[in-house]
Amino acid sequence: MKAIIPNIDEQAKRPYYLQLYDYIKESILSGEISQGEKLPSLRGLSRSLGLSMTTIELAYSQLSVEGYIYSKPQSGYYASSVLPTQTMELSQRQDASPLDLTMEAQSPEFYYDPDCFDFNKWKKCLNKVITEYSPLLFFESDPQGEIALRYEISKYLYQSRGVICQPSQIVIGAGTQQITNQLANILKKMSIGHIAVENPGYMPVRNIFRDRGFAITPVNVGAEGIAIDRLPSNIRSAVYVSPSNQVPTGAVMPVGKRYELLEWASKNDSIIMEDDYDSELRYFGKPIPALQGLDARERVVYLGSFSMTLFSSIKISYMVLPPAMETIFHAIRADYTQTCSKMEQLTLALFMERGFYQTNIKKLRSLYAQKLSAVIRCLTTDFTAPTDTSSGITVIVKVKSQKPPETLCAEAKSLGIIAIPAVSYGENPKGRFPSLVLYYNQIPLDEIPKAIERLVETWRQTAKQQDA
């Protein structure tokens, strides 16, 4: 670690933090501070330069936003790779494996909480698949998904979500977007060309249907979910909803409105696509039973995913088709190959069979409930206002700043926190201040107060500079 000794001009009009920013930036560009080199801590640099902690933090924050440095949670700040001449080829790093380089490039950027998943139990299931079921791995996976996993999913859904289905009705794919593409093909064969979607809602699904040539109608979401009276009438269509935990608002559709939605689908000869994303992660009261379990007329396609209840990099999603749509899928299933790893499917099946998945859900509910309460408490200030919720892994926070939401999100990223502009979900928030969707689930519980308070203070300081 090289000493940072800028020449601070006390008579200059340029603020101290910008003079420090200039010095560190030039040192990185000139190579005096090399790629990956650790910078002094905020407290250490404050002490050595005789400047306030706020000044040092503002300089580091600006350097982070512009990409000159990056932070590693619980470790400190490091110089980024800025110039092409600083790029290290693998051949120049004989002491590092490709996985080491990946860790350096990706994982330090954001907080992550190892308590969110027990990889030791996952490894036990994976080892059993490799040692006892390895002959299965020499053959491609079933285009519909492994029967062992479909059986475990059907059993789990009935016990936990009230979903009534057989393994033959379940189709597995690599993520919700891939499943949606298959669903679009089935809807086309049913001569359905119109899709109603929640606004705000999950934009990638909306974009897939748009790109596949469907007419799209955004329908506003209120405190009780999608506005049913705004759905298309006299046009056979499909509606994409998340009634148990609407993303990003967290709205829950009450049972009365669920029956209204089912009645609309029946009268309109239409289909309901129920995305049950994060529905298990309800922290106060029992999880709301799925809409599919109330459906006596076979109008609901149930969609689920494991990415938030296991770990993000496992892209295993599924849909439960009503019998008529199941028949259509079986007629075209030969057109597909399975996009999910067979090894991961079998590992997950064993993970569920042994009860590890159910145990992990219970653990997450308890852990995330504590995190949510802490985040709400820390974000309730004169400068930030969170939208309270009782489920999911995000909160919507309004920030009293004139800065664009993209800039606020970049400042959050520089501190290791993920935030997305609310407009990314199609929402057009009212008022003059920006709204952000903030992900809190990967911040360790004991670090939440410090992390959120630091985030709010960063937003507050940069807002003051803008006003000055």
Side-chain angles (χ1 to χ4, degrees), residues 373-388:
S373 296
V375 168
I376 292 291
R377 184 169 58 253
C378 294
L379 283 175
T380 304
T381 71
D382 62 336
F383 188 72
T384 54
T387 299
D388 206 347

Side-chain angles (χ1 to χ4, degrees), residues 142-146 149-150 153 157 165-176 178-180 182-183 186 301-306 316-322 325-330 332-333 336-340 345:
D142 187 327
Q144 189 172 348
E146 292 304 301
L149 180 55
R150 288 189 279 124
I153 290 174
L157 289 179
C165 68
Q166 299 297 321
S168 62
Q169 294 174 248
I170 297 174
V171 179
I172 294 170
T176 301
Q178 196 269 340
I179 285 290
T180 304
Q182 291 183 323
L183 185 54
I186 297 173
V301 178
Y302 180 91
L303 305 169
S305 172
F306 292 97
I316 299 182
S317 295
Y318 57 90
M319 60 180 171
V320 179
L321 299 171
M325 297 178 71
E326 175 193 351
T327 300
I328 296 174
F329 174 80
H330 282 293
I332 63 175
R333 61 176 284 169
Y336 298 102
T337 57
Q338 182 53 247
T339 53
C340 278
Q345 289 186 65

Side-chain angles (χ1 to χ4, degrees), residues 21-179:
Y21 155 85
D22 291 338
Y23 174 85
I24 297 176
K25 172 185 172 182
E26 291 303 319
S27 297
I28 292 173
L29 291 175
S30 66
E32 184 178 346
I33 297 177
S34 59
Q35 173 192 343
E37 184 174 344
K38 186 175 182 178
L39 274 65
S41 68
L42 298 175
R43 191 176 303 278
L45 192 56
S46 171
R47 186 167 51 248
S48 66
L49 297 182
L51 298 174
S52 70
M53 283 275 288
T54 300
T55 297
I56 308 300
E57 191 166 20
L58 287 174
Y60 277 18
S61 177
Q62 189 64 36
L63 289 162
S64 295
V65 169
E66 296 184 16
Y68 290 103
I69 65 175
Y70 63 89
S71 63
K72 293 182 181 181
Q74 305 179 33
S75 179
Y77 288 90
Y78 295 79
S80 301
S81 172
V82 178
L83 300 176
T85 55
Q86 290 180 296
T87 302
M88 294 187 182
E89 299 295 338
L90 182 59
S91 60
Q92 296 176 289
R93 295 287 306 277
Q94 298 298 327
D95 60 328
S97 75
L99 289 179
D100 290 331
L101 297 178
T102 300
M103 284 286 288
E104 291 176 11
Q106 295 181 1
S107 64
E109 196 167 298
F110 296 108
Y111 281 100
Y112 65 94
D113 186 356
D115 289 337
C116 289
F117 189 74
D118 189 345
F119 279 100
N120 287 326
K121 290 179 180 177
W122 182 263
K123 184 170 66 174
K124 288 179 182 178
C125 295
L126 176 60
N127 288 341
K128 186 175 179 67
V129 168
I130 293 174
T131 57
E132 298 184 26
Y133 300 99
S134 56
L136 296 175
L137 303 178
F138 287 96
F139 302 92
E140 290 190 6
S141 182
D142 187 327
Q144 189 172 348
E146 292 304 301
I147 182 61
L149 180 55
R150 288 189 279 124
Y151 172 78
E152 291 298 332
I153 290 174
S154 67
K155 185 171 65 173
Y156 171 76
L157 289 179
Y158 179 73
Q159 294 170 347
S160 66
R161 307 294 301 122
V163 172
I164 303 169
C165 68
Q166 299 297 321
S168 62
Q169 294 174 248
I170 297 174
V171 179
I172 294 170
T176 301
Q177 295 180 49
Q178 196 269 340
I179 285 290

Side-chain angles (χ1 to χ4, degrees), residues 102-390:
T102 300
M103 284 286 288
E104 291 176 11
Q106 295 181 1
S107 64
E109 196 167 298
F110 296 108
Y111 281 100
Y112 65 94
D113 186 356
D115 289 337
C116 289
F117 189 74
D118 189 345
F119 279 100
N120 287 326
K121 290 179 180 177
W122 182 263
K123 184 170 66 174
K124 288 179 182 178
C125 295
L126 176 60
N127 288 341
K128 186 175 179 67
V129 168
I130 293 174
T131 57
E132 298 184 26
Y133 300 99
S134 56
L136 296 175
L137 303 178
F138 287 96
F139 302 92
E140 290 190 6
S141 182
D142 187 327
Q144 189 172 348
E146 292 304 301
I147 182 61
L149 180 55
R150 288 189 279 124
Y151 172 78
E152 291 298 332
I153 290 174
S154 67
K155 185 171 65 173
Y156 171 76
L157 289 179
Y158 179 73
Q159 294 170 347
S160 66
R161 307 294 301 122
V163 172
I164 303 169
C165 68
Q166 299 297 321
S168 62
Q169 294 174 248
I170 297 174
V171 179
I172 294 170
T176 301
Q177 295 180 49
Q178 196 269 340
I179 285 290
T180 304
N181 265 308
Q182 291 183 323
L183 185 54
N185 287 338
I186 297 173
L187 293 174
K188 287 282 190 182
K189 292 197 175 288
M190 298 172 67
S191 299
I192 292 178
H194 189 274
I195 305 292
V197 296
E198 295 172 323
N199 183 47
Y202 186 50
M203 291 296 288
V205 164
R206 181 189 304 191
N207 295 339
I208 286 171
F209 282 122
R210 178 202 63 201
D211 295 344
R212 295 297 298 272
F214 288 83
I216 305 295
T217 298
V219 180
N220 288 343
V221 171
E224 296 185 341
I226 197 167
I228 297 174
D229 59 342
R230 299 287 184 178
L231 293 175
S233 58
N234 302 318
I235 304 174
R236 194 180 190 208
S237 56
V239 58
Y240 189 94
V241 294
S242 46
S244 296
N245 177 27
Q246 205 279 331
V247 178
T249 67
V252 176
M253 184 180 291
V255 67
K257 286 200 66 174
R258 292 175 185 236
Y259 279 112
E260 284 184 41
L261 185 58
L262 290 169
E263 186 65 20
W264 166 85
S266 179
K267 287 184 176 179
N268 212 50
D269 191 21
S270 295
I271 295 295
I272 300 168
M273 297 175 283
E274 178 186 13
D275 189 342
D276 215 28
Y277 176 81
D278 273 0
S279 61
E280 297 104 324
L281 299 180
R282 184 169 180 81
Y283 312 128
F284 309 104
K286 293 183 178 180
I288 308 299
L291 180 66
Q292 193 266 7
L294 305 175
D295 179 24
R297 299 172 183 174
E298 300 178 348
R299 294 285 175 180
V300 177
V301 178
Y302 180 91
L303 305 169
S305 172
F306 292 97
S307 60
M308 286 297 104
T309 50
L310 292 175
F311 44 94
S312 297
S313 61
I314 187 166
K315 291 295 183 180
I316 299 182
S317 295
Y318 57 90
M319 60 180 171
V320 179
L321 299 171
M325 297 178 71
E326 175 193 351
T327 300
I328 296 174
F329 174 80
H330 282 293
I332 63 175
R333 61 176 284 169
D335 297 338
Y336 298 102
T337 57
Q338 182 53 247
T339 53
C340 278
S341 161
K342 188 173 187 177
M343 184 182 296
E344 288 187 345
Q345 289 186 65
L346 295 175
T347 301
L348 178 54
L350 192 56
F351 194 78
M352 297 179 77
E353 180 189 13
R354 292 186 169 185
F356 295 156
Y357 180 70
Q358 295 83 337
T359 300
N360 194 62
I361 292 290
K362 291 179 182 178
K363 176 184 175 181
L364 289 181
R365 284 184 191 142
S366 174
L367 178 61
Y368 287 177
Q370 296 176 70
K371 289 186 177 185
L372 176 59
S373 296
V375 168
I376 292 291
R377 184 169 58 253
C378 294
L379 283 175
T380 304
T381 71
D382 62 336
F383 188 72
T384 54
T387 299
D388 206 347
T389 181
S390 59

Side-chain angles (χ1 to χ4, degrees), residues 382-404:
D382 62 336
F383 188 72
T384 54
T387 299
D388 206 347
T389 181
S390 59
S391 58
I393 58 173
T394 64
V395 293
I396 297 179
V397 56
K398 183 169 288 187
V399 185
K400 295 181 181 179
S401 171
Q402 300 300 322
K403 281 193 170 186

